[in-house]
Amino acid sequence: MRNAFADAFHEIGKADPKLAIVVADISPAGSIQKFREEFPERFINTGVAEQAMIGICAGMALRGMRPFAYTIATFSLFRPFEMVRDDLCYQDLPVTVVGMGSGVVYSTLGGTHLTQEDIAVASAVPNMQVIAPCDPLEVEAATRFCALESGHPTYLRIGKAGEPVLTEGAEEPWVFGKIRYLRKGEDVCILACGGIMSMAFDVAQRLEAAGTTVSLASVHTVKPIDRDGIARALGQHRRVAVIEEHAPHGGLGSRVKEIAWDTGAGCDLKCFSLKDEFIHLYGGHEQLLAAHGLEAGTIAAALQA
């Protein structure tokens, strides 16, 4: 995903001189190296000074630039949170805060590098938009939206590297603020956001092998949430599942439950998320997800019960 972001950002930046990026201790600027070499005057590395990164972006936006703040997710949102809230959101500035390596992708680096609650934190702030693309193609679409159309602060939650392309040939196009069906079925609807969508595909295959038809929908825009689209999904399927790489409170599952209650949905609704705890496990990404209960076979079995 980070490569898709960098490539899209570079392409847009070649045509738009207002586009700039401020990073914090990403060396040698990670996948954004190409933009750095070609447009050094629009690239700033603040080092380990994330608060300054956000403040500089705010100042640039006030001068008519279109800045992005980019670093590892915990450090792009949590460490400079006061500046995100007051400098960006209070003034409603069109700055995109990119959280790279979201969720528990940095599994071997411990709790300091895990963003289990970032969607809840970002969504709670007025004026902040939250986008969580599910694959590299959605990252490209979201980056273009943030760079060319968005007029508000946005938290863009992306993965790290190696995520598969899932949305090529999707039933519907990417549209900000709308859920997007990647495939349609009649029995079960799986709603997911972010890189965990690859697990949702695995779950869908297991259910379909057992004779259950499955709809898969990417809820890439978590705020503002597509209340009407989710309400229709709840009303059109006998069972709905939410799969997210996020804490159980304040994320996609919480919002879907809220909509289900408000609309009196009669479907069976199950939510699968990270646990509300820090799990002290040293291992790979999939191992940590499994320790949280996020494993395709376990989810499929629960949906077949």
Side-chain angles (χ1 to χ4, degrees), residues 30-305:
S31 56
I32 207 72
Q33 180 72 9
K34 188 162 52 175
F35 183 89
R36 176 192 185 184
E37 293 175 349
E38 194 165 340
F39 307 106
E41 73 283 359
R42 289 189 272 144
F43 175 92
I44 299 172
N45 190 343
T46 66
V48 187
E50 292 83 1
Q51 295 90 341
M53 174 184 70
I54 298 299
I56 290 169
C57 283
M60 295 172 80
L62 288 169
R63 299 289 296 197
M65 297 291 287
R66 178 73 72 155
F68 281 54
Y70 174 85
T71 192
I72 294 172
T74 48
F75 308 122
S76 68
L77 181 65
F78 295 165
R79 182 170 289 171
F81 178 70
E82 181 183 3
M83 289 71 193
V84 170
R85 179 183 183 273
D86 296 345
D87 293 355
L88 304 186
C89 296
Y90 184 74
Q91 300 185 91
D92 198 14
L93 298 178
V95 174
T96 301
V97 178
V98 182
M100 184 269 293
S102 59
V104 294
V105 171
Y106 282 101
S107 57
T108 59
L109 298 183
T112 59
H113 283 62
L114 307 182
T115 45
Q116 299 179 198
E117 64 276 39
D118 54 335
I119 290 176
V121 170
S123 296
V125 188
N127 294 325
M128 179 66 90
Q129 302 172 150
V130 179
I131 305 176
C134 76
D135 77 341
L137 295 181
E138 286 202 342
V139 168
E140 179 181 351
T143 302
R144 291 188 174 278
F145 168 80
C146 292
L148 301 173
E149 299 179 50
S150 175
H152 304 282
T154 304
Y155 177 56
L156 178 57
R157 185 190 208 242
I158 67 175
K160 188 180 176 185
E163 296 88 356
V165 171
L166 302 170
T167 61
E168 193 170 31
E171 293 273 343
E172 298 174 341
W174 192 96
V175 178
F176 173 76
K178 300 294 181 183
I179 69 170
R180 178 192 193 191
Y181 281 95
L182 308 185
R183 66 169 72 168
K184 289 189 175 181
E186 297 181 356
D187 300 320
V188 175
C189 179
I190 299 177
L191 303 171
C193 63
I196 201 74
M197 180 62 79
S198 60
M199 184 180 293
F201 265 81
D202 191 352
V203 172
Q205 290 176 345
R206 292 168 186 260
L207 293 177
E208 288 169 345
T212 301
T213 62
V214 181
S215 292
L216 275 174
S218 172
V219 190
H220 49 75
T221 306
V222 185
K223 183 187 177 185
I225 198 79
D226 183 4
R227 294 183 63 87
D228 292 340
I230 290 175
R232 283 193 294 272
L234 294 168
Q236 294 172 356
H237 300 84
R238 64 177 178 82
R239 177 167 288 179
V240 175
V242 177
I243 304 176
E244 59 179 329
E245 191 174 341
H246 187 270
H249 309 298
L252 179 59
S254 293
R255 296 304 311 275
V256 172
K257 288 177 181 178
E258 174 187 307
I259 295 167
W261 173 263
D262 289 345
T263 59
C267 64
D268 177 29
L269 175 59
K270 286 183 167 58
C271 296
F272 304 90
S273 69
L274 301 175
K275 295 179 181 179
D276 184 24
E277 62 182 272
F278 294 111
I279 293 180
H280 299 276
L281 167 74
Y282 184 85
H285 185 207
E286 290 186 0
Q287 290 175 299
L288 188 51
L289 288 177
H292 276 278
L294 288 176
E295 192 274 327
T298 302
I299 296 173
L303 294 176
Q304 290 171 326

